[in-house]
Amino acid sequence: MKKRKFLVVSNRLPVSVTKKDGVLQFSPSSGGLATALARVHSEGDDRLWIGWPGIASDELNSSEKSKIVRELNKLGCHPIFLTKKQIEKYYDGYSNDTIWPLFHYFQTYVQHDVDYFEGYKQVNEIFKKAVLKFTDKNTSIWIHDYHLMLLPKLIRDTLPDATIGFFLHIPFPSYEIFRLLPNRKEILEGLLGANLVGFHVYDYARHFLSSVLRILAIENSHGTIVIGQRAVKADAFPIGIDYEKFANSHKMPKTQKEINNLEKKYAGVKTILSMDRLDYSKGIARRLAAFEEFLKENPAQRKKVVLVVVAVPSRMQVATYRKLRLTIEEQISRINKKYGTSKWTPVSYQFKNLPFEQVSALFWVADIALLTPLRDGMNLVAKEYIATKQDRPGVLILSEMAGAVDEMPEAIRINPNDNREIIKAIKSGLELSEITQKTNIKLMQQRLSKYTVHRWAEDFIEQLEETRHWQKHRGDKLLSSESKDKILKSFKNSKSRLILLDYDGTLRSFVSSHHPGKAAPSKQLVSLLT
Ligand code: GDG
């Protein structure tokens, strides 16, 4: 049997292309999805990853484009070229200024712009063309995230029998929020083009199913929706991390060097780590406000703790993100001015994408990880922090609005909107005994090391394959469209009609004993019915 081909489709490729002094540069992409899938992708032999390389096509001439295609091809990737205008509408606009805020419950940040949706549709079409170029009947397609929610249907319309999986990396909001979206119907229909729609946690799948019911009036049975001759399954697949990579990171010489630097820098103080993309959904401003309050209320803790803030630059083309940066930087300078001394800076701040060795060294060194997203699909940083702490104490303070919280009940759980709770959590985190810290970490590690990102991908792919077999089996039982046409024609032409609804072979017991394999009724039965 021919081996199946596997296509991964996402907005960004795991490799980003930039141009420096006229020279093309290729570097690994940042962000949750790229991190999660990079290794899974590199392990397969018949795999192709389709996505945008991160540079506008207006900045490239045709020989540069060919070079990008060639270089990416060597890495199992195929680039989708998008113009500045397309990126503005599809990516900055509809994806990050409409869907992202709405799906993270920031209703007032949502921009509803008809042009944005037009751009979104256009780019989804461009992706469709590329996918079709690489798809045959042996191909399974796995589409990722909110940038490409129309794509499953677009592919399905051309290839009715395609095997399509879709995974949403952000929350799917409750119906009351989702219904606010002007294009809610198209988005749901787009997603229903897939055979399998995956979410991080079951609550998101439940919200999706309830929106399908209330907006499209389509019911489900235990998460399976039947549309015509096709079934669509919605289920939860909590994404994991590359556990071994983080568990062994402290042994890498480069990380060890960084650990030494940090230990010197923060000698004598406890470190609280705040690390995320600079995004309003991550609750960084509230986190800073809580830390400021903590310093105010606990003078004895001043000079004894440092909040290490790493904010990774993200979506700086979107005005809300630029404003957020200003707010955060103002807060930080206020705290440092108010409480800092010549020898102690309460908040140490970096606005950049750090190399892996610095990230893992921070995980190793930080006494507390303070992660307070207001909404987060999963939050990989929480999992990575715990995985890094091999036989090492550490405290995780985690928002109950992050998908990860269900798998990490030993973390100190907080409501990110409750300042008091965050302050209390910081205090109790600083006081927690080393033995309790280590015990909690061990318990979380046991779970994280079992359900890794590889298991997650395997699970999804396995279920996708199951839906394909199920579909085929079901297809075998259903009438072909020719048979249906023939029946309808005879029905219309007949003067005397008898409709027999048969379940599981009732009429078979009357089938001629001379032709036991033949499913046509015997003469005896026909005469009886006549
Ligand atoms: C989306 C969803 C969901 C962070 N700082 C640096 C750096 N990172 C890495 C972390 C982690 C990744 O970036 C961030 O992942 P998160 O899951 O925390 O957040 P999002 O980027 O918002 O991801 C999220 C995820 O998709 C996966 O489905 O969990 O809910 O929003 O891996 O380690 N990496 C480097 N330098 C940094 O400074 N190299």
Side-chain angles (χ1 to χ4, degrees), residues 31-33 35 100 104 169-170 200 239 246 275 277 282 310 312 352-356 359 363 376-381 384:
L33 172 62
T35 319
W100 179 275
H104 286 86
H169 289 260
I170 64 173
H200 283 310
I239 197 169
F246 286 91
M275 184 191 281
R277 270 183 314 99
K282 304 287 182 182
V310 178
V312 181
K352 59 169 127 143
N353 193 4
L354 303 177
F356 176 73
V359 172
F363 288 157
D376 212 337
M378 175 55 75
N379 195 300
L380 296 177
V381 174
E384 293 164 355

PDB file of all heavy atoms in Angstrom, residues 31-33 35 100 104 169-170 200 239 246 275 277 282 310 312 352-356 359 363 376-381 384, ligand 1:
ATOM      1  N   GLY A  31       7.231  31.557  18.994  1.00  0.00           N
ATOM      2  CA  GLY A  31       5.800  31.356  19.240  1.00  0.00           C
ATOM      3  C   GLY A  31       5.477  29.904  19.521  1.00  0.00           C
ATOM      4  O   GLY A  31       6.255  28.994  19.201  1.00  0.00           O
ATOM      5  N   GLY A  32       4.322  29.736  20.156  1.00  0.00           N
ATOM      6  CA  GLY A  32       3.909  28.427  20.643  1.00  0.00           C
ATOM      7  C   GLY A  32       3.834  27.343  19.584  1.00  0.00           C
ATOM      8  O   GLY A  32       4.406  26.267  19.736  1.00  0.00           O
ATOM      9  N   LEU A  33       3.171  27.651  18.467  1.00  0.00           N
ATOM     10  CA  LEU A  33       2.941  26.625  17.454  1.00  0.00           C
ATOM     11  C   LEU A  33       4.245  26.164  16.814  1.00  0.00           C
ATOM     12  O   LEU A  33       4.491  24.962  16.670  1.00  0.00           O
ATOM     13  CB  LEU A  33       1.976  27.159  16.392  1.00  0.00           C
ATOM     14  CG  LEU A  33       1.792  26.280  15.172  1.00  0.00           C
ATOM     15  CD1 LEU A  33       1.211  24.945  15.570  1.00  0.00           C
ATOM     16  CD2 LEU A  33       0.903  26.952  14.154  1.00  0.00           C
ATOM     17  N   THR A  35       7.217  26.294  18.016  1.00  0.00           N
ATOM     18  CA  THR A  35       7.989  25.523  18.987  1.00  0.00           C
ATOM     19  C   THR A  35       7.420  24.113  19.092  1.00  0.00           C
ATOM     20  O   THR A  35       8.153  23.128  19.110  1.00  0.00           O
ATOM     21  CB  THR A  35       7.900  26.192  20.391  1.00  0.00           C
ATOM     22  OG1 THR A  35       7.995  27.594  20.226  1.00  0.00           O
ATOM     23  CG2 THR A  35       8.981  25.703  21.323  1.00  0.00           C
ATOM     24  N   TRP A 100      -8.470  37.250  17.221  1.00  0.00           N
ATOM     25  CA  TRP A 100      -7.671  37.083  18.451  1.00  0.00           C
ATOM     26  C   TRP A 100      -8.347  37.755  19.665  1.00  0.00           C
ATOM     27  O   TRP A 100      -8.612  37.084  20.670  1.00  0.00           O
ATOM     28  CB  TRP A 100      -6.229  37.570  18.243  1.00  0.00           C
ATOM     29  CG  TRP A 100      -5.395  37.434  19.484  1.00  0.00           C
ATOM     30  CD1 TRP A 100      -5.314  38.325  20.518  1.00  0.00           C
ATOM     31  CD2 TRP A 100      -4.568  36.331  19.863  1.00  0.00           C
ATOM     32  NE1 TRP A 100      -4.485  37.846  21.508  1.00  0.00           N
ATOM     33  CE2 TRP A 100      -4.010  36.628  21.141  1.00  0.00           C
ATOM     34  CE3 TRP A 100      -4.233  35.113  19.262  1.00  0.00           C
ATOM     35  CZ2 TRP A 100      -3.140  35.769  21.806  1.00  0.00           C
ATOM     36  CZ3 TRP A 100      -3.358  34.250  19.933  1.00  0.00           C
ATOM     37  CH2 TRP A 100      -2.830  34.580  21.186  1.00  0.00           C
ATOM     38  N   HIS A 104     -10.310  35.697  22.783  1.00  0.00           N
ATOM     39  CA  HIS A 104      -9.725  35.810  24.129  1.00  0.00           C
ATOM     40  C   HIS A 104     -10.601  36.680  25.032  1.00  0.00           C
ATOM     41  O   HIS A 104     -10.134  37.188  26.037  1.00  0.00           O
ATOM     42  CB  HIS A 104      -8.292  36.356  24.053  1.00  0.00           C
ATOM     43  CG  HIS A 104      -7.303  35.349  23.536  1.00  0.00           C
ATOM     44  ND1 HIS A 104      -7.064  35.165  22.203  1.00  0.00           N
ATOM     45  CD2 HIS A 104      -6.503  34.455  24.173  1.00  0.00           C
ATOM     46  CE1 HIS A 104      -6.169  34.205  22.047  1.00  0.00           C
ATOM     47  NE2 HIS A 104      -5.808  33.758  23.215  1.00  0.00           N
ATOM     48  N   HIS A 169      -5.333  26.624  18.258  1.00  0.00           N
ATOM     49  CA  HIS A 169      -4.371  26.789  19.364  1.00  0.00           C
ATOM     50  C   HIS A 169      -4.815  27.822  20.391  1.00  0.00           C
ATOM     51  O   HIS A 169      -4.151  28.007  21.399  1.00  0.00           O
ATOM     52  CB  HIS A 169      -2.993  27.162  18.802  1.00  0.00           C
ATOM     53  CG  HIS A 169      -2.345  26.011  18.100  1.00  0.00           C
ATOM     54  ND1 HIS A 169      -1.381  25.229  18.683  1.00  0.00           N
ATOM     55  CD2 HIS A 169      -2.557  25.485  16.874  1.00  0.00           C
ATOM     56  CE1 HIS A 169      -1.020  24.280  17.840  1.00  0.00           C
ATOM     57  NE2 HIS A 169      -1.711  24.418  16.726  1.00  0.00           N
ATOM     58  N   ILE A 170      -5.894  28.513  20.102  1.00  0.00           N
ATOM     59  CA  ILE A 170      -6.384  29.526  21.048  1.00  0.00           C
ATOM     60  C   ILE A 170      -7.737  29.057  21.594  1.00  0.00           C
ATOM     61  O   ILE A 170      -8.296  28.090  21.083  1.00  0.00           O
ATOM     62  CB  ILE A 170      -6.469  30.919  20.374  1.00  0.00           C
ATOM     63  CG1 ILE A 170      -7.491  30.924  19.233  1.00  0.00           C
ATOM     64  CG2 ILE A 170      -5.101  31.344  19.853  1.00  0.00           C
ATOM     65  CD1 ILE A 170      -7.753  32.318  18.644  1.00  0.00           C
ATOM     66  N   HIS A 200      -7.552  22.565  22.688  1.00  0.00           N
ATOM     67  CA  HIS A 200      -6.691  22.214  23.820  1.00  0.00           C
ATOM     68  C   HIS A 200      -7.461  21.536  24.947  1.00  0.00           C
ATOM     69  O   HIS A 200      -6.974  20.610  25.566  1.00  0.00           O
ATOM     70  CB  HIS A 200      -6.025  23.469  24.388  1.00  0.00           C
ATOM     71  CG  HIS A 200      -4.885  23.969  23.564  1.00  0.00           C
ATOM     72  ND1 HIS A 200      -3.865  23.155  23.150  1.00  0.00           N
ATOM     73  CD2 HIS A 200      -4.585  25.206  23.103  1.00  0.00           C
ATOM     74  CE1 HIS A 200      -2.993  23.876  22.458  1.00  0.00           C
ATOM     75  NE2 HIS A 200      -3.412  25.121  22.410  1.00  0.00           N
ATOM     76  N   ILE A 239      -2.151  20.202  24.139  1.00  0.00           N
ATOM     77  CA  ILE A 239      -0.795  20.158  23.564  1.00  0.00           C
ATOM     78  C   ILE A 239       0.251  19.999  24.670  1.00  0.00           C
ATOM     79  O   ILE A 239       0.118  20.559  25.757  1.00  0.00           O
ATOM     80  CB  ILE A 239      -0.521  21.431  22.720  1.00  0.00           C
ATOM     81  CG1 ILE A 239       0.671  21.223  21.803  1.00  0.00           C
ATOM     82  CG2 ILE A 239      -0.288  22.654  23.594  1.00  0.00           C
ATOM     83  CD1 ILE A 239       0.827  22.330  20.757  1.00  0.00           C
ATOM     84  N   PHE A 246      13.626  20.201  27.438  1.00  0.00           N
ATOM     85  CA  PHE A 246      13.680  21.101  28.597  1.00  0.00           C
ATOM     86  C   PHE A 246      14.303  20.409  29.807  1.00  0.00           C
ATOM     87  O   PHE A 246      15.079  21.019  30.545  1.00  0.00           O
ATOM     88  CB  PHE A 246      12.290  21.669  28.899  1.00  0.00           C
ATOM     89  CG  PHE A 246      11.895  22.706  27.889  1.00  0.00           C
ATOM     90  CD1 PHE A 246      11.191  22.363  26.745  1.00  0.00           C
ATOM     91  CD2 PHE A 246      12.291  24.030  28.051  1.00  0.00           C
ATOM     92  CE1 PHE A 246      10.877  23.310  25.786  1.00  0.00           C
ATOM     93  CE2 PHE A 246      11.982  24.994  27.096  1.00  0.00           C
ATOM     94  CZ  PHE A 246      11.263  24.629  25.966  1.00  0.00           C
ATOM     95  N   MET A 275       7.270  35.580  31.743  1.00  0.00           N
ATOM     96  CA  MET A 275       7.751  35.432  30.364  1.00  0.00           C
ATOM     97  C   MET A 275       6.603  35.126  29.402  1.00  0.00           C
ATOM     98  O   MET A 275       5.902  34.127  29.559  1.00  0.00           O
ATOM     99  CB  MET A 275       8.766  34.288  30.286  1.00  0.00           C
ATOM    100  CG  MET A 275       9.376  34.146  28.895  1.00  0.00           C
ATOM    101  SD  MET A 275      10.307  32.642  28.695  1.00  0.00           S
ATOM    102  CE  MET A 275      11.822  33.078  29.490  1.00  0.00           C
ATOM    103  N   ARG A 277       4.901  36.364  25.155  1.00  0.00           N
ATOM    104  CA  ARG A 277       4.870  37.329  24.053  1.00  0.00           C
ATOM    105  C   ARG A 277       4.191  38.568  24.605  1.00  0.00           C
ATOM    106  O   ARG A 277       3.319  38.458  25.471  1.00  0.00           O
ATOM    107  CB  ARG A 277       4.011  36.791  22.900  1.00  0.00           C
ATOM    108  CG  ARG A 277       4.756  35.988  21.876  1.00  0.00           C
ATOM    109  CD  ARG A 277       3.861  35.551  20.729  1.00  0.00           C
ATOM    110  NE  ARG A 277       2.596  35.012  21.170  1.00  0.00           N
ATOM    111  CZ  ARG A 277       1.464  35.698  21.194  1.00  0.00           C
ATOM    112  NH1 ARG A 277       1.413  36.957  20.784  1.00  0.00           N
ATOM    113  NH2 ARG A 277       0.355  35.135  21.612  1.00  0.00           N
ATOM    114  N   LYS A 282      -2.089  38.044  27.875  1.00  0.00           N
ATOM    115  CA  LYS A 282      -1.205  37.397  28.858  1.00  0.00           C
ATOM    116  C   LYS A 282      -1.281  38.067  30.233  1.00  0.00           C
ATOM    117  O   LYS A 282      -0.666  37.589  31.188  1.00  0.00           O
ATOM    118  CB  LYS A 282       0.250  37.408  28.367  1.00  0.00           C
ATOM    119  CG  LYS A 282       0.445  36.759  26.996  1.00  0.00           C
ATOM    120  CD  LYS A 282       0.340  35.248  27.037  1.00  0.00           C
ATOM    121  CE  LYS A 282       0.590  34.628  25.658  1.00  0.00           C
ATOM    122  NZ  LYS A 282       0.452  33.184  25.643  1.00  0.00           N
ATOM    123  N   VAL A 310      10.335  39.102  30.791  1.00  0.00           N
ATOM    124  CA  VAL A 310      10.758  38.932  29.404  1.00  0.00           C
ATOM    125  C   VAL A 310       9.502  39.080  28.552  1.00  0.00           C
ATOM    126  O   VAL A 310       8.550  38.309  28.688  1.00  0.00           O
ATOM    127  CB  VAL A 310      11.386  37.538  29.150  1.00  0.00           C
ATOM    128  CG1 VAL A 310      11.771  37.382  27.684  1.00  0.00           C
ATOM    129  CG2 VAL A 310      12.580  37.321  30.055  1.00  0.00           C
ATOM    130  N   VAL A 312       8.340  39.147  24.735  1.00  0.00           N
ATOM    131  CA  VAL A 312       8.803  38.887  23.373  1.00  0.00           C
ATOM    132  C   VAL A 312       8.009  39.774  22.408  1.00  0.00           C
ATOM    133  O   VAL A 312       6.774  39.763  22.436  1.00  0.00           O
ATOM    134  CB  VAL A 312       8.613  37.392  23.013  1.00  0.00           C
ATOM    135  CG1 VAL A 312       9.117  37.095  21.611  1.00  0.00           C
ATOM    136  CG2 VAL A 312       9.314  36.508  24.030  1.00  0.00           C
ATOM    137  N   LYS A 352      12.648  41.410  24.129  1.00  0.00           N
ATOM    138  CA  LYS A 352      13.267  40.728  22.988  1.00  0.00           C
ATOM    139  C   LYS A 352      13.017  39.232  23.006  1.00  0.00           C
ATOM    140  O   LYS A 352      12.580  38.681  24.023  1.00  0.00           O
ATOM    141  CB  LYS A 352      14.764  41.026  22.910  1.00  0.00           C
ATOM    142  CG  LYS A 352      15.592  40.636  24.101  1.00  0.00           C
ATOM    143  CD  LYS A 352      17.053  40.764  23.723  1.00  0.00           C
ATOM    144  CE  LYS A 352      17.809  41.591  24.662  1.00  0.00           C
ATOM    145  NZ  LYS A 352      19.083  41.397  25.070  1.00  0.00           N
ATOM    146  N   ASN A 353      13.313  38.626  21.882  1.00  0.00           N
ATOM    147  CA  ASN A 353      13.187  37.183  21.752  1.00  0.00           C
ATOM    148  C   ASN A 353      14.537  36.583  22.138  1.00  0.00           C
ATOM    149  O   ASN A 353      15.520  36.732  21.419  1.00  0.00           O
ATOM    150  CB  ASN A 353      12.839  36.871  20.287  1.00  0.00           C
ATOM    151  CG  ASN A 353      12.380  35.446  20.103  1.00  0.00           C
ATOM    152  OD1 ASN A 353      12.232  34.676  21.069  1.00  0.00           O
ATOM    153  ND2 ASN A 353      12.159  35.074  18.866  1.00  0.00           N
ATOM    154  N   LEU A 354      14.615  35.953  23.280  1.00  0.00           N
ATOM    155  CA  LEU A 354      15.903  35.461  23.772  1.00  0.00           C
ATOM    156  C   LEU A 354      16.267  34.138  23.111  1.00  0.00           C
ATOM    157  O   LEU A 354      15.377  33.359  22.751  1.00  0.00           O
ATOM    158  CB  LEU A 354      15.825  35.235  25.290  1.00  0.00           C
ATOM    159  CG  LEU A 354      15.429  36.419  26.170  1.00  0.00           C
ATOM    160  CD1 LEU A 354      15.326  35.975  27.623  1.00  0.00           C
ATOM    161  CD2 LEU A 354      16.455  37.537  26.037  1.00  0.00           C
ATOM    162  N   PRO A 355      17.560  33.840  23.006  1.00  0.00           N
ATOM    163  CA  PRO A 355      17.935  32.516  22.499  1.00  0.00           C
ATOM    164  C   PRO A 355      17.559  31.429  23.515  1.00  0.00           C
ATOM    165  O   PRO A 355      17.416  31.713  24.706  1.00  0.00           O
ATOM    166  CB  PRO A 355      19.459  32.608  22.336  1.00  0.00           C
ATOM    167  CG  PRO A 355      19.884  33.761  23.160  1.00  0.00           C
ATOM    168  CD  PRO A 355      18.717  34.693  23.275  1.00  0.00           C
ATOM    169  N   PHE A 356      17.422  30.205  23.029  1.00  0.00           N
ATOM    170  CA  PHE A 356      16.937  29.114  23.878  1.00  0.00           C
ATOM    171  C   PHE A 356      17.733  28.967  25.177  1.00  0.00           C
ATOM    172  O   PHE A 356      17.162  28.756  26.244  1.00  0.00           O
ATOM    173  CB  PHE A 356      16.947  27.787  23.089  1.00  0.00           C
ATOM    174  CG  PHE A 356      16.540  26.610  23.932  1.00  0.00           C
ATOM    175  CD1 PHE A 356      15.210  26.445  24.298  1.00  0.00           C
ATOM    176  CD2 PHE A 356      17.483  25.696  24.391  1.00  0.00           C
ATOM    177  CE1 PHE A 356      14.815  25.373  25.104  1.00  0.00           C
ATOM    178  CE2 PHE A 356      17.107  24.623  25.195  1.00  0.00           C
ATOM    179  CZ  PHE A 356      15.759  24.471  25.548  1.00  0.00           C
ATOM    180  N   VAL A 359      16.523  31.347  27.710  1.00  0.00           N
ATOM    181  CA  VAL A 359      15.186  30.989  28.192  1.00  0.00           C
ATOM    182  C   VAL A 359      15.305  29.852  29.199  1.00  0.00           C
ATOM    183  O   VAL A 359      14.771  29.908  30.319  1.00  0.00           O
ATOM    184  CB  VAL A 359      14.271  30.572  27.007  1.00  0.00           C
ATOM    185  CG1 VAL A 359      12.946  30.000  27.495  1.00  0.00           C
ATOM    186  CG2 VAL A 359      14.030  31.747  26.074  1.00  0.00           C
ATOM    187  N   PHE A 363      14.452  29.583  33.277  1.00  0.00           N
ATOM    188  CA  PHE A 363      13.561  28.575  33.881  1.00  0.00           C
ATOM    189  C   PHE A 363      14.276  27.885  35.046  1.00  0.00           C
ATOM    190  O   PHE A 363      13.688  27.608  36.084  1.00  0.00           O
ATOM    191  CB  PHE A 363      13.152  27.510  32.843  1.00  0.00           C
ATOM    192  CG  PHE A 363      12.173  28.004  31.804  1.00  0.00           C
ATOM    193  CD1 PHE A 363      12.059  27.364  30.565  1.00  0.00           C
ATOM    194  CD2 PHE A 363      11.334  29.080  32.056  1.00  0.00           C
ATOM    195  CE1 PHE A 363      11.147  27.789  29.605  1.00  0.00           C
ATOM    196  CE2 PHE A 363      10.414  29.527  31.099  1.00  0.00           C
ATOM    197  CZ  PHE A 363      10.331  28.874  29.870  1.00  0.00           C
ATOM    198  N   ASP A 376      -5.765  32.124  27.892  1.00  0.00           N
ATOM    199  CA  ASP A 376      -4.667  31.503  27.154  1.00  0.00           C
ATOM    200  C   ASP A 376      -5.120  30.116  26.722  1.00  0.00           C
ATOM    201  O   ASP A 376      -5.593  29.336  27.558  1.00  0.00           O
ATOM    202  CB  ASP A 376      -3.431  31.394  28.069  1.00  0.00           C
ATOM    203  CG  ASP A 376      -2.128  31.507  27.302  1.00  0.00           C
ATOM    204  OD1 ASP A 376      -2.141  31.225  26.093  1.00  0.00           O
ATOM    205  OD2 ASP A 376      -1.109  31.882  27.913  1.00  0.00           O
ATOM    206  N   GLY A 377      -4.971  29.840  25.420  1.00  0.00           N
ATOM    207  CA  GLY A 377      -5.384  28.530  24.916  1.00  0.00           C
ATOM    208  C   GLY A 377      -4.806  27.418  25.772  1.00  0.00           C
ATOM    209  O   GLY A 377      -5.528  26.562  26.287  1.00  0.00           O
ATOM    210  N   MET A 378      -3.475  27.433  25.929  1.00  0.00           N
ATOM    211  CA  MET A 378      -2.822  26.438  26.771  1.00  0.00           C
ATOM    212  C   MET A 378      -1.842  27.121  27.726  1.00  0.00           C
ATOM    213  O   MET A 378      -2.015  27.158  28.903  1.00  0.00           O
ATOM    214  CB  MET A 378      -2.109  25.400  25.880  1.00  0.00           C
ATOM    215  CG  MET A 378      -1.293  24.368  26.627  1.00  0.00           C
ATOM    216  SD  MET A 378      -2.206  23.459  27.879  1.00  0.00           S
ATOM    217  CE  MET A 378      -3.171  22.345  26.886  1.00  0.00           C
ATOM    218  N   ASN A 379      -0.770  27.678  27.227  1.00  0.00           N
ATOM    219  CA  ASN A 379       0.392  28.276  27.900  1.00  0.00           C
ATOM    220  C   ASN A 379       1.500  27.237  28.064  1.00  0.00           C
ATOM    221  O   ASN A 379       1.537  26.469  29.024  1.00  0.00           O
ATOM    222  CB  ASN A 379       0.059  28.907  29.252  1.00  0.00           C
ATOM    223  CG  ASN A 379       1.207  29.817  29.710  1.00  0.00           C
ATOM    224  OD1 ASN A 379       2.342  29.355  29.880  1.00  0.00           O
ATOM    225  ND2 ASN A 379       0.951  31.087  29.850  1.00  0.00           N
ATOM    226  N   LEU A 380       2.387  27.248  27.085  1.00  0.00           N
ATOM    227  CA  LEU A 380       3.498  26.292  27.078  1.00  0.00           C
ATOM    228  C   LEU A 380       4.574  26.661  28.079  1.00  0.00           C
ATOM    229  O   LEU A 380       5.271  25.789  28.601  1.00  0.00           O
ATOM    230  CB  LEU A 380       4.108  26.211  25.672  1.00  0.00           C
ATOM    231  CG  LEU A 380       3.196  25.683  24.568  1.00  0.00           C
ATOM    232  CD1 LEU A 380       3.897  25.733  23.229  1.00  0.00           C
ATOM    233  CD2 LEU A 380       2.762  24.265  24.870  1.00  0.00           C
ATOM    234  N   VAL A 381       4.719  27.977  28.364  1.00  0.00           N
ATOM    235  CA  VAL A 381       5.779  28.417  29.282  1.00  0.00           C
ATOM    236  C   VAL A 381       5.624  27.717  30.643  1.00  0.00           C
ATOM    237  O   VAL A 381       6.604  27.266  31.232  1.00  0.00           O
ATOM    238  CB  VAL A 381       5.772  29.956  29.434  1.00  0.00           C
ATOM    239  CG1 VAL A 381       6.758  30.413  30.485  1.00  0.00           C
ATOM    240  CG2 VAL A 381       6.115  30.617  28.099  1.00  0.00           C
ATOM    241  N   GLU A 384       6.961  24.244  30.295  1.00  0.00           N
ATOM    242  CA  GLU A 384       8.417  24.232  30.074  1.00  0.00           C
ATOM    243  C   GLU A 384       9.172  24.554  31.371  1.00  0.00           C
ATOM    244  O   GLU A 384      10.226  23.971  31.653  1.00  0.00           O
ATOM    245  CB  GLU A 384       8.779  25.255  28.988  1.00  0.00           C
ATOM    246  CG  GLU A 384       8.232  24.872  27.617  1.00  0.00           C
ATOM    247  CD  GLU A 384       8.222  26.010  26.602  1.00  0.00           C
ATOM    248  OE1 GLU A 384       8.553  27.153  26.962  1.00  0.00           O
ATOM    249  OE2 GLU A 384       7.866  25.754  25.443  1.00  0.00           O
TER     250      GLU A 384
HETATM  251  C1  GDG B   1      -0.196  30.031  21.264  1.00  0.00           C
HETATM  252  C2  GDG B   1      -1.374  30.135  22.251  1.00  0.00           C
HETATM  253  C3  GDG B   1      -0.772  27.894  23.156  1.00  0.00           C
HETATM  254  C4  GDG B   1       8.833  32.670  24.969  1.00  0.00           C
HETATM  255  N1  GDG B   1       9.748  33.624  25.110  1.00  0.00           N
HETATM  256  C5  GDG B   1      10.804  33.256  24.365  1.00  0.00           C
HETATM  257  C6  GDG B   1      10.510  32.039  23.776  1.00  0.00           C
HETATM  258  N2  GDG B   1       9.290  31.700  24.159  1.00  0.00           N
HETATM  259  C7  GDG B   1       8.619  30.461  23.762  1.00  0.00           C
HETATM  260  C8  GDG B   1       8.208  29.667  24.962  1.00  0.00           C
HETATM  261  C9  GDG B   1       7.022  28.879  24.401  1.00  0.00           C
HETATM  262  C10 GDG B   1       6.450  29.801  23.340  1.00  0.00           C
HETATM  263  O1  GDG B   1       7.438  30.769  23.040  1.00  0.00           O
HETATM  264  C11 GDG B   1       5.201  30.537  23.832  1.00  0.00           C
HETATM  265  O2  GDG B   1       4.139  29.644  23.900  1.00  0.00           O
HETATM  266  P1  GDG B   1       2.819  29.925  24.745  1.00  0.00           P
HETATM  267  O3  GDG B   1       1.996  28.702  24.719  1.00  0.00           O
HETATM  268  O4  GDG B   1       3.196  30.313  26.107  1.00  0.00           O
HETATM  269  O5  GDG B   1       2.093  31.155  24.059  1.00  0.00           O
HETATM  270  P2  GDG B   1       1.694  31.663  22.542  1.00  0.00           P
HETATM  271  O6  GDG B   1       2.878  32.119  21.797  1.00  0.00           O
HETATM  272  O7  GDG B   1       0.640  32.688  22.751  1.00  0.00           O
HETATM  273  O8  GDG B   1       1.080  30.381  21.815  1.00  0.00           O
HETATM  274  C12 GDG B   1      -1.074  29.351  23.510  1.00  0.00           C
HETATM  275  C13 GDG B   1       0.269  27.805  22.050  1.00  0.00           C
HETATM  276  O9  GDG B   1      -0.072  28.609  20.933  1.00  0.00           O
HETATM  277  C14 GDG B   1       0.451  26.362  21.567  1.00  0.00           C
HETATM  278  O10 GDG B   1      -0.736  25.811  21.130  1.00  0.00           O
HETATM  279  O11 GDG B   1      -0.269  27.252  24.306  1.00  0.00           O
HETATM  280  O12 GDG B   1      -2.185  29.397  24.385  1.00  0.00           O
HETATM  281  O13 GDG B   1      -1.651  31.500  22.567  1.00  0.00           O
HETATM  282  O14 GDG B   1       7.442  27.704  23.796  1.00  0.00           O
HETATM  283  O15 GDG B   1       9.285  28.902  25.406  1.00  0.00           O
HETATM  284  N3  GDG B   1      11.358  31.384  22.981  1.00  0.00           N
HETATM  285  C15 GDG B   1      12.545  31.975  22.732  1.00  0.00           C
HETATM  286  N4  GDG B   1      12.888  33.191  23.252  1.00  0.00           N
HETATM  287  C16 GDG B   1      12.044  33.856  24.067  1.00  0.00           C
HETATM  288  O16 GDG B   1      12.379  34.963  24.538  1.00  0.00           O
HETATM  289  N5  GDG B   1      13.434  31.329  21.955  1.00  0.00           N
END
